[in-house]
Amino acid sequence: MSFVPYDRPVRAAFIGLGRIYDLNVRAYAGHPDVEVVALVDPSEERRAQRRADWPGARTFASAAELASSGIEVDAAEVLLPVALHADGVAELLGFGWHVNVQKPMCHDLWEAQRMLDAAKAAGRVLRVMENYLFYEPLRKLKAAAGSGEIGEVCGYHIKMVGSGGGGWDVPWSSFERQMEQMRRGRGIFVFDDGWHKLSTALWLFGPVREVRAWIGNTAVGPGVDLDAPATIVWEHDNGVRGVWDITLAMDMYLRSDYYTNDERWEITGSRGYARVNRCTGRGIQQPSLEIYADGEMRGYHALDDDWASSFRDSGRHWLRWLHTGDGPLLWSGDEAVDVLRFALAAYASSASGGAGVNPAQVT
Ligand SMILES: NC(=O)c1ccc[n+]([C@@H]2O[C@H](COP(=O)([O-])OP(=O)(O)OC[C@H]3O[C@@H](n4cnc5c(N)ncnc54)[C@H](O)[C@@H]3O)[C@@H](O)[C@H]2O)c1
C-alpha cells in the first residue's frame, strides 16, 4: 500500500460515541492537524451528548448514512463494540477511510484476516490502537530495561486485580456486551483487558515462542461469569520469561478515575528491578515507577501517570503518522494479529491442561 501523508488537517469521523469516547477525544480536542467532521452512533442520546464537543460536525445514526451524505472523510476513529469490529472496520475501509480502531482487534483469526484483506483491497491504513504503549511510566520502564541500569533482564511479572468497587460509571449495555463476549469464550480479564497486558509483553521483549495458561472461572451472579483466577506464563524468542496473574477481589474498593484495575509490571534484572506500580486505577500510591539497583531506590514522582494521557498520546501518534507516514503505527493490523495469536495461544493451552502452545501455530 502506498500511503500519501496529509499536508492539511485530516477530516475525521468518530464511529461509536460510548464510554471510551471520553478518553479517545483527548487526542482530537484542540488539535490543529485534525478537523472532526462527523459523529456516528445509533443512539440519539449519545449523539446529543457529544454534539456539543464539535459544533462544526454533523451527526449520523450509521456510517452508511455518513458515507452517502457527501461529507468528505479521511479517517475514522472507531469506538465500536468489539463484536462489530470486523464487519464495521471492513465497511469503513470500503468507504475509502483510514481506520484507527480500539482494541481488542476482534475475536478470531478469520475476522482479523477479513479486516487485513479489506485494508489491502481499499489501499487504506488499518491501525489497532494500544494506549498502554503510550503510558509514560511504561515507556520509562521499557527504557530502563533496555538501558542496562538494572543489568541483564532475567524475567518479569505482570499483575492484575479486578475489583468490584470504585471507578467511573460503565453503562449497563457495555457490561452486557462483555458478558456476551465471555459466553463466546473471550473473557473480560484475559481477552478484553488482557489485550493490553499481552501487548505490553510483545512491545517490551518481542515475539513469544511458547505460552502456557490456566484460565479459571468465577460465577459472580446468575449468568455472570468472570475469567479469574487465571495465570499465564510465556517465553519470548529472546529467552526472557513473563508471568501474569489475574485475581478477582469483588469486595475491594479501588480508587480510580476510570476502571478499577489494580495493575503492576515488574522487570527483574541481574542488578536490580524496575516496577510500574499502577496504571488505570490508583492502587499503590507510591511513585508510579520505581527503579532499584545496587542498593539504591529511585522513585519517579513527576511522570504523566494519568491513564487518560495514554489515550491522548496514542491518538496524537496516529494523527502525526497520518501527516508523516513515518515510524511504527503501534499497532499495525499485522502486529495486532500477533497480540490476538498470543491470546488465542493462552486459550488453547488452558484447554489442553496447560501444555505449551506456539502462538505462530494457532489456527
Ligand atoms: N483502550 C482501552 O483501555 C479501552 C477501554 C474501554 C473500551 N475500549 C474499547 O473501545 C470500544 C468501545 O468501548 P466502550 O466502552 O466505549 O463501549 P460502549 O458500549 O460504551 O460504547 C459503544 C458505542 O457504540 C455505539 N454503536 C453500536 N453500534 C454502532 C454502529 N453500528 N455504528 C456506530 N456506533 C455504534 C453504541 O451505541 C455505543 O454508544 C471497544 O472496542 C472496547 O474494547 C478500550
Side-chain angles (χ1 to χ4, degrees), residues 29-105:
H31 199 300
D33 290 342
V34 68
E35 180 191 359
V36 174
V37 294
L39 305 172
V40 177
D41 199 300
S43 159
E44 171 54 40
E45 188 188 342
R46 286 296 191 201
R47 295 199 302 274
Q49 181 187 9
R50 310 308 193 182
R51 193 174 281 140
D53 295 345
W54 307 104
R58 278 182 57 196
T59 60
F60 298 88
S62 73
E65 282 176 35
L66 164 59
S68 58
S69 69
I71 293 178
E72 300 277 348
V73 174
D74 302 309
E77 181 76 8
V78 182
L79 313 177
L80 290 170
V82 185
L84 303 185
H85 280 188
D87 286 349
V89 165
E91 181 188 32
L92 302 172
L93 289 163
F95 292 145
W97 306 341
H98 302 295
V99 165
N100 185 39
V101 63
Q102 261 287 2
K103 54 49 68 178
M105 181 182 197

Side-chain angles (χ1 to χ4, degrees), residues 14-21 24 40-43 46 60-63 78-82 84-85 91 101-104 129-132 168 170-171 173-175 177-178 181 192-193 196 259 307 311:
F14 278 92
I15 314 293
L17 306 173
R19 179 72 273 189
I20 213 62
Y21 164 95
N24 279 68
V40 177
D41 199 300
S43 159
R46 286 296 191 201
F60 298 88
S62 73
V78 182
L79 313 177
L80 290 170
V82 185
L84 303 185
H85 280 188
E91 181 188 32
V101 63
Q102 261 287 2
K103 54 49 68 178
M129 70 158 281
E130 177 48 79
N131 55 294
Y132 275 54
W168 64 1
V170 176
S173 54
S174 302
F175 275 127
R177 276 194 275 272
Q178 287 293 345
Q181 224 169 243
D192 195 84
D193 174 70
H196 296 302
Y259 304 97
W307 185 59
F311 287 80

Side-chain angles (χ1 to χ4, degrees), residues 197-244:
K197 310 304 190 289
L198 303 178
S199 282
T200 57
L202 292 171
W203 172 69
L204 284 166
F205 298 116
V208 163
R209 62 186 174 204
E210 186 170 329
V211 183
R212 293 171 186 255
W214 187 10
I215 301 172
N217 187 82
T218 304
V220 294
V224 183
D225 288 57
L226 296 175
D227 49 339
T231 309
I232 302 175
V233 296
W234 56 86
E235 189 170 80
H236 292 267
D237 284 359
N238 65 7
V240 170
R241 283 196 185 178
V243 51
W244 173 30

Side-chain angles (χ1 to χ4, degrees), residues 331-346:
W331 299 115
S332 68
D334 286 320
E335 288 166 326
V337 174
D338 291 336
V339 184
L340 178 62
R341 284 186 167 281
F342 195 168
L344 296 180

Side-chain angles (χ1 to χ4, degrees), residues 151-163:
E152 285 274 309
V153 173
C154 309
Y156 68 111
H157 174 222
I158 304 175
K159 183 173 180 64
M160 159 72 181
V161 181
S163 68

